[in-house]
Amino acid sequence: METVEKIKQQIAENPIIVYMKGSPKLPSCGFSSQVAQIMINCEAQFAFVDILLHPDIRSELPKYANWPTFPQLWIEGELIGGCDILTEMFQKGELQTLIKETAAKYKTEDEQASS
């Protein structure tokens, strides 16, 4: 599969996905660490891709997204932004609302039954 097709598939299959250096539990740079902490504080269920393990995605995603840096947060197929934008949105309460609304749309039937 071509790298851009792989990226499109990841974005399509995951309503909330973060492309970052490292993992949420073991980030490999300060910006990725900050974004992971923000996502955890939003109590978000999210997918992630460690771009350090996927050099093809690391090189192609900035061109596809027209966004040069990592981490990148994508919600429902739309690039939300990187560390600075997410920090600002979090401080204003905008990110929490967006994530909560998105998560509610994608709850499984089991989750809906228990809430």
Side-chain angles (χ1 to χ4, degrees), residues 3-18:
T3 301
V4 171
E5 291 304 313
K6 190 184 334 179
I7 291 167
K8 287 179 182 178
Q9 183 178 359
Q10 290 169 340
I11 291 169
E13 291 176 354
N14 297 286
I16 303 173
I17 186 167
V18 177

Side-chain angles (χ1 to χ4, degrees), residues 28-89:
S28 296
C29 82
F31 297 117
S32 290
S33 177
Q34 191 169 337
V35 166
Q37 201 55 53
I38 286 170
M39 297 301 289
I40 291 165
N41 288 339
C42 288
E43 299 176 3
Q45 291 283 345
F46 64 96
F48 75 93
V49 175
D50 180 351
I51 60 159
L52 298 177
L53 298 177
H54 301 279
D56 56 332
I57 292 174
R58 185 180 187 176
S59 68
E60 289 299 318
L61 185 60
K63 292 179 244 177
Y64 173 75
N66 201 22
W67 190 266
T69 60
F70 293 98
Q72 293 183 13
L73 171 64
W74 291 74
I75 296 182
E76 293 190 295
E78 183 181 336
L79 174 63
I80 303 303
C83 188
D84 291 347
I85 290 170
L86 298 181
T87 300
E88 185 177 322
M89 287 178 72

